[in-house]
Amino acid sequence: KAGVTQTPRYLIKTRGQQVTLSCSPISGHRSVSWYQQTPGQGLQFLFEYFSETQRNKGNFPGRFSGRQFSNSRSEMNVSTLELGDSALYLCASSLDGSGNTIYFGEGSWLTVV
Amino acid sequence: GENVEQHPSTLSVQEGDSAVIKCTYSDSASNYFPWYKQELGKRPQLIIDIRSNVGEKKDQRIAVTLNKTAKHFSLHITETQPEDSAVYFCAASIFGNQFYFGTGTSLTVIP
């Protein structure tokens, strides 16, 4: 069974631009969550989607948004990029989100210059 | 919200020795506690997990213990090997897939 797939793997953006990251969960998984990983802050929860609905949201500004499609694929968008948004963005999927194990993708490395 | 603290931040052990990493959590409603291993440049991978109705779980050289009263859980790795060198994260979840992670422990196993 294929794992969680994230694209793109690496990208460089300029301050003020926006970026869209994509995540395809493990086949059959309906819950997708997003995390930001930085050396200083560790792994921080952004939001979680289940059946195309955002169920939980972390403490991030409104510039961070996401959505989930009917095939469970998810995208997250960051608008008006800031230098501090440079991070590894990890997507994780789980079967149904009822406290089940989450499996991470390889992540998207975002550098904002 | 939940707050997870993890100690130590770095740990060096000789090959063959044991390693212990400890985490505390603040919300007594947390009921699921996974541990992830992350090698440099790679994704975090689940190595073991425990639910609040269980006190201890073991998988070969890895074990996790949970003390709900004290709100802490620990990862134990026995007979450490160089390939165990990585960053280890603990996490706690109350409901769904909103996980709160510890800040990580960088484990170095010295051959």
Side-chain angles (χ1 to χ4, degrees):
Chain A
K1 198 188 266 193
V4 180
T5 305
Q6 291 187 245
T7 57
R9 291 292 319 281
Y10 306 92
L11 65 167
I12 300 173
K13 291 286 187 178
T14 304
R15 271 182 303 175
Q17 287 187 315
Q18 73 163 11
V19 66
T20 299
L21 309 178
S22 180
C23 172
S24 292
I26 293 170
S27 178
H29 284 196
R30 296 168 61 194
S31 170
V32 174
S33 50
W34 290 87
Y35 290 81
Q36 181 194 64
Q37 185 174 26
T38 58
Q41 299 295 321
L43 278 152
Q44 291 191 293
F45 174 77
L46 281 155
F47 28 66
E48 185 233 352
Y49 287 86
F50 179 76
S51 292
E52 301 177 67
T53 301
Q54 186 182 88
R55 277 204 304 199
N56 294 297
K57 189 177 191 304
N59 190 26
F60 277 81
R63 300 186 296 107
F64 292 81
S65 62
R67 59 179 177 168
Q68 186 181 33
F69 302 95
S70 59
N71 61 358
S72 294
R73 190 177 69 86
S74 177
E75 288 181 346
M76 69 162 281
N77 183 76
V78 188
S79 62
T80 321
L81 284 166
E82 300 176 359
L83 295 179
D85 296 333
S86 296
L88 174 64
Y89 290 89
L90 290 160
C91 168
S93 79
S94 80
L95 200 58
D96 59 12
S98 300
N100 285 306
T101 303
I102 60 172
Y103 298 91
F104 285 97
E106 295 286 2
S108 293
W109 288 92
L110 170 65
T111 301
V112 182
V113 297
Chain B
E2 172 68 281
N3 181 46
V4 177
E5 294 190 356
Q6 183 173 347
H7 300 280
S9 56
T10 60
L11 179 60
S12 291
V13 299
Q14 290 291 138
E15 182 177 357
D17 286 351
S18 295
V20 180
I21 302 170
K22 298 181 179 182
C23 288
T24 61
Y25 60 100
S26 60
D27 196 327
S28 56
S30 289
N31 56 15
Y32 177 56
F33 308 91
W35 285 87
Y36 286 85
K37 174 184 179 182
Q38 187 175 30
E39 297 175 359
L40 193 61
K42 297 195 174 181
R43 76 182 82 188
Q45 291 198 299
L46 178 76
I47 55 172
I48 196 166
D49 57 9
I50 192 167
R51 297 193 183 273
S52 58
N53 58 347
V54 176
E56 184 174 357
K57 184 176 179 181
K58 189 174 181 180
D59 182 5
Q60 299 184 333
R61 297 185 298 109
I62 296 173
V64 57
T65 58
L66 171 65
N67 183 326
K68 286 191 297 182
T69 303
K71 294 204 281 288
H72 70 70
F73 55 114
S74 300
L75 177 71
H76 305 253
I77 306 174
T78 59
E79 300 171 21
T80 53
Q81 301 166 4
E83 51 265 39
D84 293 330
S85 295
V87 179
Y88 292 81
F89 292 95
C90 63
S93 172
I94 298 172
F95 173 77
N97 285 343
Q98 184 165 0
F99 286 80
Y100 297 87
F101 283 84
T103 49
T105 295
S106 178
L107 173 65
T108 302
V109 179
I110 303 165

